[in-house]
Amino acid sequence: MLPRPKDTLQSSLFFDLRSTLNHRHPLFQLANKIDWAMFEREFSPLYSPDKGVEAKPIRLMVGLLILKHIRNVSDESVVEQWSENVYYQYFCGGTEFVAAQPIDASSLVHFRHRIGEAGFELILAESIRVNDDVDFDKPQVVFVDTTVQEKNITYPTDAKLHKKIVENCRGIAAKSGVTLRQSYARVVKALNRDIRFNKKQSKAARRKLKCIAGRLVRELDRELPLESLHREQIDLYKRVLSQTKDSKNKVYSLHEPSVCCISKGKEHEKWEFGNKVSVAYNEDGLIVGALSFRNEYDGHTLLPAIEQVVRLNHRPIKIVPCDRGYKGVSQVLGIPVLIPSNGKGCKSEYERKKLKKLFAQRAGIEPINGHLKSDHRMGRNFYKGIFGDNINSMLAAAAFNFKRAMNVLLDYILRWISQLFEQNISIKPQN
């Protein structure tokens, strides 16, 4: 049921957060800059007006999602820290300190699915708007690059997948009441030992493990009825057992079958397992777009990425500098796309220096990608499925922008304090 509106301006008789906290704290100021009424207005139609238990306040749920990615913590941790941090509680709309946890951590999962990808685009658009030190009327230069968002899976091998299939088949048989002719528990244990420690027998042990997995899958396929809830899993196991080294669209994880294998090109780490993310930022260091893809060619991701930038910013785009991975694309939506050339052509020395400076500025997106991965939970995506890939990239970009706004506010406060201190020194009477 839709949560009832509460008067957040009414002061508490015992402990009022607004009058007690430091008003110069960046999190306090950011809470006053975000348009929470917009989230209330956009997300209220997603709730039933009169059915069910009264839901938690929308500001609380949105605030917890933002804090989670700003502080780089899990659902459980952000809920626990909320009960200990008065600035978290004020940020989420609290008026007085509450020592108990506001919600169960699983409620954030349901809320993410409730608002959908469109809701996370609203959060990303709001993170752009709160950075009011940027001139939004001036045409912007948008730099676009792609990076890989790794999924929370182990390094995939055929032996791992086959072992997992055997374990899952036993679980399916136990749930469905099917009695297997043989469980292969002792045999699989010995095979795993040979795969790990016996180099001479490891190849034969891997073949034997695959054979056992195929037997169990075929037996369940015969015994389970056609309308069984486990049919989709059985089909996935068949697909894993039939794939070879050169197969396309391979399955690398049973619980995340949509994971792609993306070549990294580095000697220490040749492959990454996840999905591709297109990140767009402007010359002010503000991320203006973040969109998730599977493993498309970079040039094919440019049109949807620029369409998202136009949709979220409503600000004219002057040019779009990219790297050589976007070769073959000269313009998108009528906007020129600049790609580094090999130095040939009839450009003047002035134009060459200007382009060189522009592409050097484009390289500044690399540390931004690093901050998204190390500071805002894009380095390892814990969300489920393709929907989780899409929302994790937008939440990481929104957290980066909110953190930028907090740093701008903190720098402004420090400058103001230093100027005030210098003025006090200058007017101090001398003995």
Side-chain angles (χ1 to χ4, degrees):
M1 188 175 71
L2 185 67
R4 298 175 184 175
K6 297 181 180 179
D7 185 9
T8 57
L9 299 178
Q10 183 179 2
S11 61
S12 173
L13 181 62
F14 302 103
F15 188 80
D16 182 19
L17 292 180
R18 176 179 287 272
S19 60
T20 306
L21 299 181
N22 179 13
H23 288 205
R24 296 176 186 151
H25 193 281
L27 203 57
F28 185 96
Q29 295 202 0
L30 180 64
N32 295 328
K33 291 175 68 70
I34 296 177
D35 185 8
W36 300 106
M38 182 269 296
F39 293 123
E40 297 278 350
R41 185 173 59 254
E42 295 294 334
F43 296 157
S44 293
L46 303 177
Y47 292 85
S48 174
D50 53 1
K51 294 181 180 179
V53 180
E54 182 180 350
K56 295 294 182 179
I58 293 176
R59 175 171 177 175
L60 171 66
M61 306 302 292
V62 175
L64 287 173
L65 287 178
I66 294 173
L67 289 172
K68 172 187 175 179
H69 282 261
I70 289 180
R71 300 304 189 194
N72 191 10
V73 294
S74 63
D75 288 344
E76 293 79 6
S77 296
V78 73
V79 171
E80 181 181 355
Q81 292 177 15
W82 187 93
S83 63
E84 304 168 353
N85 195 314
V86 289
Y87 287 99
Y88 280 19
Q89 297 192 15
Y90 179 79
F91 184 82
C92 295
T95 57
E96 58 184 20
F97 178 72
V98 179
Q101 294 185 1
I103 59 172
D104 187 78
S106 61
S107 299
L108 289 174
V109 180
H110 303 305
F111 183 74
R112 284 193 290 265
H113 285 275
R114 182 186 294 272
I115 65 176
E117 296 180 22
F120 289 98
E121 279 201 347
L122 288 177
I123 297 177
L124 179 56
E126 182 63 16
S127 72
I128 299 171
R129 188 197 64 82
V130 296
N131 288 270
D132 51 9
D133 61 312
V134 178
D135 186 5
F136 289 100
D137 296 328
K138 178 183 176 182
Q140 60 180 340
V141 178
V142 176
F143 306 95
V144 183
D145 192 21
T146 57
T147 186
V148 176
Q149 177 180 238
E150 291 193 72
K151 203 73 171 179
N152 185 35
I153 65 171
T154 61
Y155 191 88
T157 61
D158 290 339
K160 286 182 182 179
L161 292 176
H162 299 156
K163 177 186 175 183
K164 197 69 176 177
I165 288 175
V166 172
E167 295 174 354
N168 291 354
C169 286
R170 292 180 194 150
I172 292 175
K175 292 178 182 177
S176 305
V178 176
T179 302
L180 298 174
R181 291 183 296 177
Q182 185 176 349
S183 65
Y184 298 99
R186 295 175 60 187
V187 179
V188 170
K189 185 176 181 180
L191 292 175
N192 289 328
R193 187 166 55 246
D194 290 341
I195 291 173
R196 184 172 182 183
F197 299 109
N198 194 337
K199 291 184 178 180
K200 293 182 179 180
Q201 300 294 329
S202 62
K203 188 174 181 180
R206 286 194 293 269
R207 289 199 302 266
K208 182 67 174 178
L209 183 61
K210 181 178 180 181
C211 181
I212 292 173
R215 290 177 189 172
L216 294 179
V217 170
R218 289 191 295 271
E219 184 173 358
L220 287 178
D221 192 23
R222 292 192 302 268
E223 298 295 335
L224 292 177
L226 294 177
E227 64 275 6
S228 174
L229 299 176
H230 303 288
R231 277 291 166 187
E232 186 175 352
Q233 291 177 268
I234 297 298
D235 294 339
L236 178 63
Y237 301 158
K238 290 181 180 179
R239 180 181 166 190
V240 172
L241 292 170
S242 63
Q243 65 188 14
T244 61
K245 181 179 179 181
D246 300 325
S247 299
K248 293 184 179 180
N249 301 321
K250 294 181 67 175
V251 177
Y252 298 98
S253 174
L254 297 182
H255 70 281
E256 290 289 351
S258 61
V259 164
C260 302
C261 178
I262 303 174
S263 176
K264 189 172 184 179
K266 303 292 179 62
E267 184 64 27
H268 67 285
E269 190 177 2
K270 295 184 179 181
W271 314 100
E272 292 177 303
F273 299 92
N275 70 293
K276 185 175 288 188
V277 175
S278 176
V279 180
Y281 89 112
N282 59 17
E283 65 272 27
D284 299 308
L286 189 67
I287 297 180
V288 293
L291 205 57
S292 177
F293 300 90
R294 301 323 303 160
N295 190 16
E296 289 89 339
Y297 161 62
D298 286 355
H300 296 163
T301 66
L302 193 56
L303 177 60
I306 296 301
E307 288 177 344
Q308 186 195 41
V309 172
V310 174
R311 186 168 62 249
L312 297 182
N313 291 265
H314 305 291
R315 181 181 174 189
I317 302 175
K318 187 162 50 177
I319 52 175
V320 181
C322 303
D323 59 15
R324 288 188 174 92
Y326 295 84
K327 186 177 180 180
V329 182
S330 59
Q331 66 173 4
V332 56
L333 298 179
I335 305 168
V337 177
L338 302 183
I339 298 174
S341 62
N342 55 5
K344 298 180 181 180
C346 57
K347 297 184 179 65
S348 64
E349 185 66 21
Y350 170 77
E351 291 176 338
R352 284 197 293 269
K353 288 184 178 180
K354 188 175 180 181
L355 289 175
K356 184 177 180 181
K357 183 178 180 181
L358 184 66
F359 291 123
Q361 187 178 4
R362 190 218 67 84
I365 199 171
E366 300 298 340
I368 289 179
N369 292 339
H371 281 294
L372 289 175
K373 292 183 178 182
S374 62
D375 299 339
H376 303 299
R377 301 183 68 80
M378 207 175 81
R380 184 162 296 271
N381 180 19
F382 294 89
Y383 293 144
K384 179 73 174 176
I386 297 177
F387 173 74
D389 297 337
N390 298 338
I391 66 173
N392 190 65
S393 57
M394 287 188 282
L395 273 175
F400 180 90
N401 291 338
F402 284 127
K403 190 68 175 292
R404 180 189 180 278
M406 292 171 62
N407 292 336
V408 170
L409 292 170
L410 182 61
D411 292 341
Y412 173 78
I413 293 171
L414 293 177
R415 286 197 305 268
W416 178 78
I417 293 176
S418 62
Q419 292 175 2
L420 184 63
F421 182 71
E422 291 174 358
Q423 291 176 1
N424 291 337
I425 292 177
S426 62
I427 63 176
K428 184 178 180 179
Q430 297 181 357
N431 295 331

